Amino acid sequence: MQRHIGLRWPSPPGMTAHDHGWAADLRFAVHCAVALLGLLLAVDAAARHLTWPRALLWTGLAALLCAVLVPPRVRAGAGWLSSRGLLHERTVCTDRLVSARWSDGIAQRLVLRDADGHRVEVDPEVLLANPALWHRLDEDVRGCVERGTLRCGVTALRQLADRIDRRHARAVFTASGLE
């Protein structure tokens, strides 16, 4: 596989796992922004205060809401994982991970760092909802643990693996009528 500035080129589309819920989340963000814009314009028009500058202000506010609500797009292939936001895309070589940790803050994130110093933050719910993404990451993490390159974060990844296993076991029990 070719390398470019320490990162792997994405594999062919059939070999790439991605977040299947991203398109629905994008639609939700757009619908929320459009609903807010419609509501603000309707209230302003009903109050007879609607002018072009105010309409532009409300449009900008709705666009800002959409930008805040659009989730990053997570994709993974053999040896890499990327998260693309509105302004930038970050990629780590998952076959060269050196650390994995939980970020501090309101929204829990898994922070992955590779040997080249690249860093990606991933919402664990994305990995929980997309087994193919988790499988790609887990395969490479196991290799890093065997080689001893993953120096910190094995516990964080085991916690995530346990959550994923519990969720899938519950889904199997529910589908089979045993729950």
Side-chain angles (χ1 to χ4, degrees):
M1 185 162 269
Q2 297 177 347
R3 291 227 179 232
H4 176 68
I5 312 175
L7 300 177
R8 290 189 177 214
W9 289 100
S11 50
M15 308 272 304
T16 302
H18 62 278
D19 179 6
H20 293 287
W22 182 81
D25 292 342
L26 177 64
R27 281 191 301 275
F28 174 76
V30 170
H31 289 158
C32 284
V34 168
L36 177 68
L37 178 61
L39 181 67
L40 290 171
L41 291 175
V43 167
D44 235 12
R48 299 193 189 275
H49 293 351
L50 186 60
T51 61
W52 282 109
R54 288 177 70 98
L56 287 175
L57 174 69
W58 300 142
T59 303
L61 185 63
L64 180 63
L65 176 67
C66 187
V68 168
L69 291 180
V70 170
R73 186 170 197 169
V74 179
R75 297 180 314 130
W80 61 272
L81 183 133
S82 72
S83 175
R84 182 182 183 116
L86 286 176
L87 301 177
H88 54 78
E89 181 172 11
R90 297 184 188 268
T91 303
V92 292
C93 293
T94 54
D95 57 353
R96 302 184 59 210
L97 288 177
V98 293
S99 75
R101 64 179 176 80
W102 295 113
S103 68
D104 296 330
I106 295 171
Q108 190 176 40
R109 299 279 187 253
L110 181 65
V111 181
L112 303 171
R113 187 178 303 271
D114 67 13
D116 298 324
H118 299 110
R119 179 178 159 281
V120 167
E121 291 186 22
V122 179
D123 182 355
E125 288 299 318
V126 171
L127 297 172
L128 285 164
N130 295 281
L133 274 173
W134 170 247
H135 178 70
R136 289 275 187 200
L137 177 61
D138 189 47
E139 268 183 358
D140 290 336
V141 164
R142 289 175 194 262
C144 290
V145 169
E146 288 173 7
R147 289 188 301 277
T149 59
L150 186 61
R151 292 175 278 212
C152 104
V154 176
T155 303
L157 292 168
R158 281 192 187 131
Q159 289 171 344
L160 182 59
D162 289 344
R163 280 177 62 188
I164 290 171
D165 289 344
R166 278 193 305 273
R167 180 177 279 188
H168 291 298
R170 192 175 310 121
V172 168
F173 286 139
T174 302
S176 63
L178 296 173
E179 186 175 43

Short mmCIF file of all heavy atoms in Angstrom, two decimals, residues 136-179:
data_model
loop_
_atom_site.label_atom_id
_atom_site.label_comp_id
_atom_site.label_asym_id
_atom_site.label_seq_id
_atom_site.Cartn_x
_atom_site.Cartn_y
_atom_site.Cartn_z
N ARG A 136 -12.69 -3.12 11.79
CA ARG A 136 -11.45 -2.60 11.18
C ARG A 136 -10.50 -2.09 12.26
O ARG A 136 -9.32 -2.39 12.25
CB ARG A 136 -11.76 -1.46 10.22
CG ARG A 136 -12.43 -1.87 8.97
CD ARG A 136 -11.40 -2.28 7.99
NE ARG A 136 -12.04 -2.53 6.72
CZ ARG A 136 -11.51 -3.25 5.78
NH1 ARG A 136 -10.34 -3.79 5.96
NH2 ARG A 136 -12.13 -3.45 4.66
N LEU A 137 -11.03 -1.30 13.19
CA LEU A 137 -10.20 -0.74 14.25
C LEU A 137 -9.67 -1.84 15.16
O LEU A 137 -8.49 -1.87 15.49
CB LEU A 137 -10.99 0.30 15.05
CG LEU A 137 -10.28 0.93 16.24
CD1 LEU A 137 -9.03 1.68 15.78
CD2 LEU A 137 -11.22 1.86 16.98
N ASP A 138 -10.53 -2.75 15.56
CA ASP A 138 -10.15 -3.82 16.49
C ASP A 138 -9.06 -4.72 15.92
O ASP A 138 -8.14 -5.12 16.63
CB ASP A 138 -11.38 -4.64 16.86
CG ASP A 138 -11.10 -5.63 17.97
OD1 ASP A 138 -10.49 -5.23 18.99
OD2 ASP A 138 -11.50 -6.81 17.84
N GLU A 139 -9.14 -5.03 14.62
CA GLU A 139 -8.10 -5.84 13.97
C GLU A 139 -6.73 -5.19 14.11
O GLU A 139 -5.76 -5.84 14.49
CB GLU A 139 -8.40 -5.99 12.48
CG GLU A 139 -9.20 -7.19 12.11
CD GLU A 139 -9.37 -7.29 10.60
OE1 GLU A 139 -8.90 -6.41 9.86
OE2 GLU A 139 -9.99 -8.27 10.17
N ASP A 140 -6.66 -3.90 13.81
CA ASP A 140 -5.38 -3.20 13.89
C ASP A 140 -4.92 -3.00 15.32
O ASP A 140 -3.72 -3.06 15.61
CB ASP A 140 -5.47 -1.86 13.16
CG ASP A 140 -5.57 -2.02 11.66
OD1 ASP A 140 -5.13 -3.07 11.13
OD2 ASP A 140 -6.10 -1.12 11.00
N VAL A 141 -5.84 -2.79 16.24
CA VAL A 141 -5.48 -2.62 17.65
C VAL A 141 -4.86 -3.90 18.19
O VAL A 141 -3.85 -3.86 18.90
CB VAL A 141 -6.72 -2.21 18.49
CG1 VAL A 141 -6.46 -2.41 19.98
CG2 VAL A 141 -7.09 -0.77 18.20
N ARG A 142 -5.44 -5.03 17.82
CA ARG A 142 -4.87 -6.31 18.26
C ARG A 142 -3.44 -6.48 17.78
O ARG A 142 -2.57 -6.95 18.51
CB ARG A 142 -5.73 -7.47 17.78
CG ARG A 142 -7.05 -7.57 18.49
CD ARG A 142 -7.92 -8.67 17.88
NE ARG A 142 -9.28 -8.58 18.30
CZ ARG A 142 -9.80 -9.30 19.28
NH1 ARG A 142 -9.05 -10.17 19.91
NH2 ARG A 142 -11.06 -9.15 19.61
N GLY A 143 -3.18 -6.08 16.53
CA GLY A 143 -1.81 -6.14 16.01
C GLY A 143 -0.87 -5.21 16.76
O GLY A 143 0.28 -5.58 17.05
N CYS A 144 -1.35 -4.02 17.10
CA CYS A 144 -0.51 -3.08 17.85
C CYS A 144 -0.21 -3.60 19.25
O CYS A 144 0.91 -3.43 19.75
CB CYS A 144 -1.21 -1.72 17.96
SG CYS A 144 -1.31 -0.82 16.40
N VAL A 145 -1.18 -4.24 19.87
CA VAL A 145 -0.96 -4.82 21.20
C VAL A 145 0.06 -5.94 21.11
O VAL A 145 0.98 -6.04 21.94
CB VAL A 145 -2.29 -5.31 21.82
CG1 VAL A 145 -2.05 -6.14 23.07
CG2 VAL A 145 -3.20 -4.13 22.13
N GLU A 146 -0.05 -6.79 20.09
CA GLU A 146 0.90 -7.90 19.92
C GLU A 146 2.32 -7.39 19.68
O GLU A 146 3.27 -7.96 20.19
CB GLU A 146 0.46 -8.79 18.76
CG GLU A 146 -0.75 -9.64 19.06
CD GLU A 146 -1.25 -10.38 17.82
OE1 GLU A 146 -0.59 -10.35 16.76
OE2 GLU A 146 -2.33 -10.99 17.93
N ARG A 147 2.45 -6.33 18.88
CA ARG A 147 3.77 -5.76 18.59
C ARG A 147 4.31 -4.89 19.72
O ARG A 147 5.48 -4.54 19.74
CB ARG A 147 3.72 -4.93 17.31
CG ARG A 147 3.56 -5.75 16.06
CD ARG A 147 3.71 -4.91 14.80
NE ARG A 147 2.75 -3.81 14.71
CZ ARG A 147 1.51 -3.92 14.26
NH1 ARG A 147 1.06 -5.10 13.86
NH2 ARG A 147 0.71 -2.88 14.19
N GLY A 148 3.43 -4.50 20.64
CA GLY A 148 3.85 -3.68 21.77
C GLY A 148 3.94 -2.19 21.46
O GLY A 148 4.52 -1.44 22.24
N THR A 149 3.37 -1.76 20.34
CA THR A 149 3.43 -0.34 19.99
C THR A 149 2.36 0.48 20.71
O THR A 149 2.55 1.67 20.94
CB THR A 149 3.28 -0.11 18.47
OG1 THR A 149 2.03 -0.65 18.05
CG2 THR A 149 4.42 -0.77 17.71
N LEU A 150 1.25 -0.15 21.07
CA LEU A 150 0.18 0.55 21.79
C LEU A 150 0.58 0.60 23.26
O LEU A 150 0.43 -0.35 24.00
CB LEU A 150 -1.16 -0.17 21.61
CG LEU A 150 -2.38 0.53 22.18
CD1 LEU A 150 -2.59 1.89 21.53
CD2 LEU A 150 -3.61 -0.33 22.00
N ARG A 151 1.15 1.75 23.65
CA ARG A 151 1.71 1.89 24.99
C ARG A 151 0.69 2.26 26.04
O ARG A 151 0.86 1.97 27.21
CB ARG A 151 2.83 2.92 24.97
CG ARG A 151 4.03 2.44 24.18
CD ARG A 151 5.04 3.52 24.09
NE ARG A 151 4.62 4.39 22.99
CZ ARG A 151 5.45 5.04 22.21
NH1 ARG A 151 6.71 5.00 22.43
NH2 ARG A 151 4.99 5.78 21.23
N CYS A 152 -0.36 2.95 25.65
CA CYS A 152 -1.36 3.33 26.64
C CYS A 152 -2.73 3.32 26.00
O CYS A 152 -2.88 3.69 24.84
CB CYS A 152 -1.00 4.68 27.26
SG CYS A 152 -1.91 6.08 26.75
N GLY A 153 -3.71 2.83 26.73
CA GLY A 153 -5.07 2.85 26.23
C GLY A 153 -5.69 1.50 25.98
O GLY A 153 -6.81 1.43 25.49
N VAL A 154 -4.99 0.45 26.30
CA VAL A 154 -5.56 -0.88 26.09
C VAL A 154 -6.83 -1.03 26.93
O VAL A 154 -7.83 -1.60 26.47
CB VAL A 154 -4.53 -1.99 26.42
CG1 VAL A 154 -5.15 -3.37 26.31
CG2 VAL A 154 -3.32 -1.87 25.50
N THR A 155 -6.82 -0.48 28.13
CA THR A 155 -7.99 -0.56 29.01
C THR A 155 -9.18 0.17 28.40
O THR A 155 -10.30 -0.34 28.42
CB THR A 155 -7.66 0.03 30.39
OG1 THR A 155 -6.55 -0.66 30.93
CG2 THR A 155 -8.84 -0.09 31.33
N ALA A 156 -8.95 1.35 27.84
CA ALA A 156 -10.04 2.12 27.21
C ALA A 156 -10.64 1.33 26.05
O ALA A 156 -11.87 1.29 25.88
CB ALA A 156 -9.53 3.47 26.73
N LEU A 157 -9.81 0.69 25.26
CA LEU A 157 -10.30 -0.08 24.12
C LEU A 157 -11.02 -1.35 24.58
O LEU A 157 -12.00 -1.76 23.96
CB LEU A 157 -9.16 -0.40 23.17
CG LEU A 157 -8.60 0.84 22.45
CD1 LEU A 157 -7.30 0.51 21.77
CD2 LEU A 157 -9.61 1.39 21.46
N ARG A 158 -10.56 -1.95 25.67
CA ARG A 158 -11.26 -3.12 26.21
C ARG A 158 -12.64 -2.72 26.74
O ARG A 158 -13.60 -3.47 26.59
CB ARG A 158 -10.44 -3.78 27.32
CG ARG A 158 -9.34 -4.63 26.78
CD ARG A 158 -8.73 -5.50 27.85
NE ARG A 158 -7.57 -6.17 27.30
CZ ARG A 158 -6.39 -6.21 27.86
NH1 ARG A 158 -6.19 -5.64 29.03
NH2 ARG A 158 -5.39 -6.84 27.29
N GLN A 159 -12.72 -1.55 27.38
CA GLN A 159 -14.02 -1.07 27.86
C GLN A 159 -14.98 -0.89 26.69
O GLN A 159 -16.15 -1.27 26.77
CB GLN A 159 -13.86 0.26 28.60
CG GLN A 159 -13.17 0.14 29.93
CD GLN A 159 -12.84 1.51 30.51
OE1 GLN A 159 -12.87 2.53 29.83
NE2 GLN A 159 -12.50 1.53 31.79
N LEU A 160 -14.49 -0.31 25.62
CA LEU A 160 -15.33 -0.11 24.44
C LEU A 160 -15.72 -1.46 23.82
O LEU A 160 -16.88 -1.67 23.44
CB LEU A 160 -14.60 0.75 23.40
CG LEU A 160 -15.38 1.08 22.13
CD1 LEU A 160 -16.67 1.81 22.47
CD2 LEU A 160 -14.53 1.92 21.21
N ALA A 161 -14.78 -2.39 23.76
CA ALA A 161 -15.08 -3.73 23.21
C ALA A 161 -16.15 -4.42 24.06
O ALA A 161 -17.06 -5.06 23.52
CB ALA A 161 -13.81 -4.57 23.16
N ASP A 162 -16.06 -4.27 25.39
CA ASP A 162 -17.07 -4.87 26.27
C ASP A 162 -18.44 -4.25 26.02
O ASP A 162 -19.45 -4.96 25.99
CB ASP A 162 -16.68 -4.70 27.74
CG ASP A 162 -15.50 -5.56 28.13
OD1 ASP A 162 -15.18 -6.51 27.38
OD2 ASP A 162 -14.88 -5.29 29.18
N ARG A 163 -18.50 -2.92 25.84
CA ARG A 163 -19.78 -2.25 25.56
C ARG A 163 -20.37 -2.76 24.25
O ARG A 163 -21.58 -3.01 24.14
CB ARG A 163 -19.58 -0.74 25.47
CG ARG A 163 -19.49 -0.05 26.79
CD ARG A 163 -19.21 1.42 26.67
NE ARG A 163 -20.22 2.16 25.96
CZ ARG A 163 -20.11 3.43 25.60
NH1 ARG A 163 -19.02 4.11 25.90
NH2 ARG A 163 -21.07 4.05 24.96
N ILE A 164 -19.51 -2.90 23.24
CA ILE A 164 -19.98 -3.36 21.93
C ILE A 164 -20.47 -4.81 22.03
O ILE A 164 -21.53 -5.15 21.50
CB ILE A 164 -18.87 -3.21 20.87
CG1 ILE A 164 -18.64 -1.72 20.59
CG2 ILE A 164 -19.20 -3.96 19.60
CD1 ILE A 164 -17.44 -1.40 19.74
N ASP A 165 -19.72 -5.65 22.73
CA ASP A 165 -20.12 -7.05 22.89
C ASP A 165 -21.46 -7.16 23.63
O ASP A 165 -22.32 -7.95 23.26
CB ASP A 165 -19.05 -7.85 23.64
CG ASP A 165 -17.80 -8.07 22.81
OD1 ASP A 165 -17.87 -7.87 21.57
OD2 ASP A 165 -16.75 -8.42 23.39
N ARG A 166 -21.63 -6.35 24.70
CA ARG A 166 -22.90 -6.39 25.45
C ARG A 166 -24.07 -5.94 24.56
O ARG A 166 -25.13 -6.55 24.58
CB ARG A 166 -22.81 -5.49 26.69
CG ARG A 166 -22.13 -6.14 27.87
CD ARG A 166 -22.34 -5.35 29.14
NE ARG A 166 -21.94 -3.96 29.06
CZ ARG A 166 -20.71 -3.51 29.30
NH1 ARG A 166 -19.76 -4.34 29.64
NH2 ARG A 166 -20.45 -2.22 29.21
N ARG A 167 -23.85 -4.89 23.78
CA ARG A 167 -24.93 -4.39 22.92
C ARG A 167 -25.32 -5.43 21.87
O ARG A 167 -26.49 -5.67 21.61
CB ARG A 167 -24.52 -3.09 22.23
CG ARG A 167 -25.63 -2.55 21.34
CD ARG A 167 -25.30 -1.26 20.70
NE ARG A 167 -25.53 -0.17 21.63
CZ ARG A 167 -25.47 1.10 21.30
NH1 ARG A 167 -25.19 1.44 20.06
NH2 ARG A 167 -25.68 2.04 22.18
N HIS A 168 -24.32 -6.07 21.26
CA HIS A 168 -24.61 -7.07 20.23
C HIS A 168 -25.25 -8.33 20.84
O HIS A 168 -26.16 -8.91 20.24
CB HIS A 168 -23.36 -7.42 19.44
CG HIS A 168 -22.90 -6.30 18.57
ND1 HIS A 168 -23.67 -5.78 17.55
CD2 HIS A 168 -21.77 -5.57 18.58
CE1 HIS A 168 -23.02 -4.79 16.97
NE2 HIS A 168 -21.87 -4.64 17.59
N ALA A 169 -24.81 -8.72 22.03
CA ALA A 169 -25.41 -9.88 22.69
C ALA A 169 -26.88 -9.58 23.03
O ALA A 169 -27.75 -10.43 22.83
CB ALA A 169 -24.64 -10.23 23.96
N ARG A 170 -27.14 -8.36 23.51
CA ARG A 170 -28.52 -7.98 23.82
C ARG A 170 -29.37 -7.99 22.57
O ARG A 170 -30.52 -8.44 22.60
CB ARG A 170 -28.52 -6.59 24.46
CG ARG A 170 -29.86 -6.23 25.08
CD ARG A 170 -29.83 -4.90 25.82
NE ARG A 170 -28.73 -4.78 26.75
CZ ARG A 170 -27.78 -3.82 26.69
NH1 ARG A 170 -27.83 -2.91 25.77
NH2 ARG A 170 -26.81 -3.80 27.58
N ALA A 171 -28.81 -7.53 21.45
CA ALA A 171 -29.55 -7.51 20.19
C ALA A 171 -29.87 -8.94 19.73
O ALA A 171 -30.97 -9.21 19.23
CB ALA A 171 -28.77 -6.78 19.11
N VAL A 172 -28.92 -9.85 19.91
CA VAL A 172 -29.15 -11.24 19.52
C VAL A 172 -30.23 -11.87 20.40
O VAL A 172 -31.13 -12.54 19.91
CB VAL A 172 -27.83 -12.06 19.62
CG1 VAL A 172 -28.10 -13.55 19.52
CG2 VAL A 172 -26.87 -11.62 18.53
N PHE A 173 -30.16 -11.61 21.72
CA PHE A 173 -31.18 -12.15 22.62
C PHE A 173 -32.56 -11.58 22.29
O PHE A 173 -33.55 -12.31 22.32
CB PHE A 173 -30.82 -11.87 24.08
CG PHE A 173 -29.71 -12.73 24.60
CD1 PHE A 173 -28.72 -12.19 25.41
CD2 PHE A 173 -29.64 -14.08 24.29
CE1 PHE A 173 -27.70 -12.97 25.88
CE2 PHE A 173 -28.61 -14.86 24.76
CZ PHE A 173 -27.63 -14.32 25.57
N THR A 174 -32.61 -10.31 22.00
CA THR A 174 -33.90 -9.68 21.67
C THR A 174 -34.46 -10.26 20.36
O THR A 174 -35.64 -10.58 20.28
CB THR A 174 -33.73 -8.15 21.53
OG1 THR A 174 -33.22 -7.65 22.77
CG2 THR A 174 -35.03 -7.48 21.22
N ALA A 175 -33.60 -10.41 19.37
CA ALA A 175 -34.05 -10.94 18.08
C ALA A 175 -34.51 -12.39 18.20
O ALA A 175 -35.44 -12.81 17.51
CB ALA A 175 -32.94 -10.83 17.05
N SER A 176 -33.89 -13.15 19.10
CA SER A 176 -34.27 -14.55 19.24
C SER A 176 -35.40 -14.74 20.24
O SER A 176 -35.86 -15.87 20.44
CB SER A 176 -33.06 -15.38 19.65
OG SER A 176 -32.59 -14.96 20.93
N GLY A 177 -35.84 -13.67 20.89
CA GLY A 177 -36.95 -13.76 21.84
C GLY A 177 -36.56 -14.26 23.19
O GLY A 177 -37.41 -14.67 23.99
N LEU A 178 -35.27 -14.26 23.52
CA LEU A 178 -34.81 -14.76 24.81
C LEU A 178 -34.74 -13.69 25.89
O LEU A 178 -34.51 -13.99 27.04
CB LEU A 178 -33.42 -15.41 24.67
CG LEU A 178 -33.38 -16.65 23.78
CD1 LEU A 178 -31.96 -17.10 23.58
CD2 LEU A 178 -34.21 -17.74 24.38
N GLU A 179 -34.93 -12.44 25.51
CA GLU A 179 -34.83 -11.38 26.52
C GLU A 179 -36.16 -11.10 27.14
O GLU A 179 -37.19 -11.09 26.60
CB GLU A 179 -34.26 -10.11 25.88
CG GLU A 179 -34.01 -9.04 26.90
CD GLU A 179 -33.35 -7.83 26.30
OE1 GLU A 179 -33.76 -7.41 25.21
OE2 GLU A 179 -32.42 -7.33 26.92
#
